[in-house]
């Protein structure tokens, strides 16, 4: 549990309750789940989750980290996630947001908390997909967002050939699948690079890379990056707004303290004048010592109050300076992050260009190494390849006809049937 610094303790005591609550809610929104998925992805057995729980304690003015509950979990065979203190929670068929909401509600009720803890649930690892049928290596493979039937088949080494002597066929198919995966990854990186350039230039939109053209896949990638850019921009804006609100509240507090100091100073002047009169009367024997003692005590109290006001004002000014520095650091960190992301993206693009060139070279070599290469090339275009996906929907297994570009979801079984015609 985090402890408050002296400045934070003063701010928590001085801010109006509604203003502090609104500010803290904005900060909690900024620290929302980084792994939130676009769309209504439904959890399933074997999904691995990362759960984090924190609580804003209004009375303390601090954030409490529930490390005993936070951690990595798996959706068990019964479709539930077992969380300490809370026990098994149903997860199969639910979204991460629904599960996070239930965790926060149950913890508030179980521990009798005044404020509901903020829980985030993100996918640490999707449940695998399965390849069956005419693939080189059937089995289970890790799922990745954007997976299609063709990419999944490439994980299994491509289509399987019945004739073991035609090794060039397998090499060709394997290299072709790898090239398709590398090409898709390159397209994704090109759109990411365009998004980073847009963020660095404070542009409102992302320019479509010339290498992609106007294709459906390119438009889908562009929409995904646009959504990410809007989310990142909103997060940065909320952070800067929170700091600006903090500075405004501190400025208001300083003004209030200055007015209070003026009032206390006037009172001190009046009391001091009375004390001078009493001293004069006391010298003439016309005033009693108890009245003089009371005025001296009142003078000391007012001087102490003025000192407290000056101290509080100084602390508020220090907090304003810190918030200003935080704004500068936030902007600088954002620029540095964009520069690092751009550098990493450029490096990945260079690496993928080499891998893509190697795969294409292997495809050409596979065709050239066999006397039957020409026949294979003609036969491949007239091959009977049938794809289907076995998917469980609401507890029922359904078989869906598919093509190479059909999206694959976690837990799907991709079935491949192959029949090459001979010429």
């Amino acid at each position: 549990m985090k402890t408050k610094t002296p400045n934070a303790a003063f701010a928590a005591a001085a801010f109006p309750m509604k203003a502090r609550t609104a500010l803290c809610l904005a900060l909690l929104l900024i620290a929302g789940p980084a792994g939130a998925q676009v769309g209504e992805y439904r959890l399933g057995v074997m999904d691995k989750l990362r759960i984090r729980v924190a609580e804003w304690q209004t009375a303390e003015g601090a954030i409490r980290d529930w490390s005993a509950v936070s951690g990595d979990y798996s959706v068990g065979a019964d479709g539930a996630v077992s969380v300490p203190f809370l026990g098994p929670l149903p997860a199969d068929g639910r979204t991460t947001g629904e599960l996070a909401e239930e965790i926060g509600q149950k913890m508030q009720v179980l521990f009798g908390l005044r404020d509901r803890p903020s829980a985030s649930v993100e996918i640490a690892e999707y449940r695998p997909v399965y390849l069956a049928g005419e693939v080189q290596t059937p089995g289970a493979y890790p799922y990745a967002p954007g997976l299609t039937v063709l990419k999944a088949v490439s994980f299994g080494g491509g289509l399987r050939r019945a004739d073991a002597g035609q090794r060039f066929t397998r090499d060709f198919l394997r290299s072709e699948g790898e090239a398709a995966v590398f090409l898709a990854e390159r397209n994704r990186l090109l759109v990411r690079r365009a998004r980073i350039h847009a963020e660095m230039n404070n542009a409102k939109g992302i320019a479509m890379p010339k290498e992609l053209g106007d294709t459906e896949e390119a438009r889908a990638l562009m929409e995904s990056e646009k959504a990410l850019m809007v989310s990142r921009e909103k997060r940065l804006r909320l952070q800067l707004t929170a700091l600006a609100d903090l500075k405004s509240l501190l400025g208001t507090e300083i003004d209030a303290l200055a007015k209070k100091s003026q009032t206390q100073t006037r009172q001190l002047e009046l009391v001091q004048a009375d004390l001078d009169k009493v001293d004069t009367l006391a010298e003439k024997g016309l005033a009693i010592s108890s009245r003089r003692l009371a005025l001296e005590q009142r003078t000391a109290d007012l001087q102490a109050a003025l000192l407290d006001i000056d101290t509080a004002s100084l602390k508020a000014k220090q907090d304003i300076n810190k918030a200003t520095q935080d704004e500068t650091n936030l902007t600088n960190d954002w620029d540095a992050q964009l520069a690092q992301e751009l550098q990493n993206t450029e490096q990945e693009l260079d690496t993928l260009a080499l891998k893509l060139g190697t795969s294409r070279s292997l495809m050409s070599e596979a065709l050239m190494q066999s006397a039957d290469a020409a026949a294979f090339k003609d036969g491949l275009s007239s091959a009977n390849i049938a794809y289907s996906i076995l998917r469980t929907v609401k507890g029922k297994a359904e078989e869906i006809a598919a093509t190479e570009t059909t999206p694959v979801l976690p837990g799907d079984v991709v079935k491949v049937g192959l029949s090459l015609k001979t010429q």
Side-chain angles (χ1 to χ4, degrees):
M1 178 175 177
K2 297 182 180 178
T3 58
K4 297 186 294 182
T5 63
N7 289 345
F10 169 75
F15 291 170
M17 179 63 71
K18 292 184 178 178
R20 287 191 288 113
T21 303
L23 178 59
C24 294
L25 287 176
L27 293 174
L28 285 175
L29 178 60
I30 294 169
Q37 299 293 320
V38 177
E40 291 296 325
Y41 174 74
R42 299 288 172 175
L43 300 174
V45 176
M46 295 182 66
D47 274 338
K48 294 184 179 179
L49 310 177
R50 181 168 293 116
I51 298 177
R52 289 173 292 184
V53 181
E55 173 197 357
W56 170 252
Q57 297 178 316
T58 303
E60 299 294 333
I63 294 177
R64 177 181 182 180
D65 183 14
W66 284 84
S67 57
V69 178
S70 302
D72 293 344
Y73 301 87
S74 296
V75 180
D78 58 352
V81 176
S82 182
V83 180
F85 304 113
L86 306 182
L89 300 178
D92 190 18
R94 307 178 72 184
T95 66
T96 55
E98 292 171 351
L99 182 58
E101 181 70 16
E102 182 177 2
I103 291 175
Q105 292 176 350
K106 285 185 174 294
M107 289 190 63
Q108 184 180 22
V109 173
L110 178 63
F111 295 104
L113 303 177
R114 176 181 179 182
D115 302 297
R116 179 181 298 177
S118 175
S120 71
V121 179
E122 58 186 83
I123 306 294
E125 182 179 336
Y126 293 92
R127 56 190 184 275
V129 297
Y130 304 88
L131 300 181
E134 297 299 323
V135 290
Q136 188 64 28
T137 309
Y141 293 89
Y143 174 81
L147 189 66
T148 62
V149 168
L150 181 59
K151 294 177 184 178
V153 171
S154 70
F155 291 163
L159 302 178
R160 182 170 58 196
R161 296 288 292 181
D163 186 0
Q166 292 184 345
R167 181 172 180 178
F168 80 94
T169 304
R170 296 194 300 271
D171 293 341
F172 180 89
L173 293 172
R174 183 182 297 109
S175 299
E176 185 182 37
E178 291 176 350
V181 173
F182 294 150
L183 185 61
E185 181 66 14
R186 188 208 66 166
N187 294 344
R188 186 179 66 82
L189 289 174
L190 287 174
V191 178
R192 180 200 292 177
R193 183 175 65 181
R195 186 257 302 165
I196 294 174
H197 281 303
E199 289 179 328
M200 295 179 74
N201 296 325
N202 295 322
K204 296 298 182 181
I206 305 175
M208 177 70 76
K210 297 179 180 179
E211 298 90 338
L212 298 184
D214 189 16
T215 63
E216 184 177 353
E217 180 183 3
R219 289 193 294 270
L221 290 172
M222 184 64 69
E223 289 301 322
S224 176
E225 290 296 326
K226 285 181 179 178
L228 178 60
M229 185 174 75
V230 170
S231 176
R232 286 157 59 95
E233 180 184 4
K234 179 180 179 182
R235 178 181 178 184
L236 178 63
R237 186 170 63 252
L238 284 174
Q239 289 176 313
L240 291 174
T241 301
L243 290 173
D245 291 344
L246 175 61
K247 292 169 62 177
S248 177
L249 289 172
L250 290 171
T252 302
E253 181 184 357
I254 290 174
D255 293 339
L257 289 173
K259 294 179 181 179
K260 186 176 181 180
S261 177
Q262 292 175 358
T263 302
Q264 295 285 348
T265 300
R266 286 195 298 270
Q267 291 181 1
L268 179 61
E269 291 173 352
L270 294 175
V271 172
Q272 187 65 50
D274 288 345
L275 181 60
D276 292 341
K277 293 179 181 179
V278 169
D279 287 342
T280 302
L281 294 174
E283 292 176 357
K284 297 178 180 180
L286 300 176
I288 58 177
S289 59
S290 60
R291 183 181 178 187
R292 179 180 181 182
L293 180 61
L295 288 173
E296 289 178 348
Q297 181 63 43
R298 177 60 177 165
T299 301
D301 292 341
L302 289 173
Q303 290 174 341
L306 281 172
L307 181 60
D308 291 340
I309 293 172
D310 292 340
T311 302
S313 180
L314 178 60
K315 288 183 178 180
K317 291 177 181 179
Q318 290 175 340
D319 288 340
I320 289 180
N321 291 335
K322 184 178 182 302
T324 303
Q325 184 61 45
D326 289 342
E327 286 180 334
T328 303
N329 292 340
L330 182 61
T331 303
N332 292 339
D333 290 345
W334 173 253
D335 293 338
Q337 178 184 347
L338 289 177
Q340 184 63 51
E341 287 183 359
L342 181 60
Q343 181 180 4
N344 293 340
T345 301
E346 295 288 1
Q347 291 176 350
E348 292 181 36
L349 280 170
D350 292 340
T351 301
L352 277 177
L354 293 174
K355 291 181 177 180
L356 188 58
T358 301
S359 295
R360 288 171 174 170
S361 298
L362 290 174
M363 290 166 61
S364 299
E365 183 180 358
L367 290 174
M368 295 174 59
Q369 283 181 345
S370 172
D372 298 329
F376 166 69
K377 185 176 181 181
D378 294 337
L380 188 62
S381 62
S382 60
N384 294 324
I385 305 175
Y387 300 105
S388 63
I389 295 177
L390 191 63
R391 179 176 297 163
T392 301
V393 180
K394 295 182 179 179
K396 296 181 179 180
E398 300 179 359
E399 187 164 359
I400 307 168
T403 64
E404 292 180 343
T405 58
T406 301
V408 177
L409 301 180
D412 281 354
V413 178
V414 179
K415 299 173 63 177
V416 181
L418 173 64
S419 176
L420 290 176
K421 295 181 180 179
T422 58
Q423 301 295 328

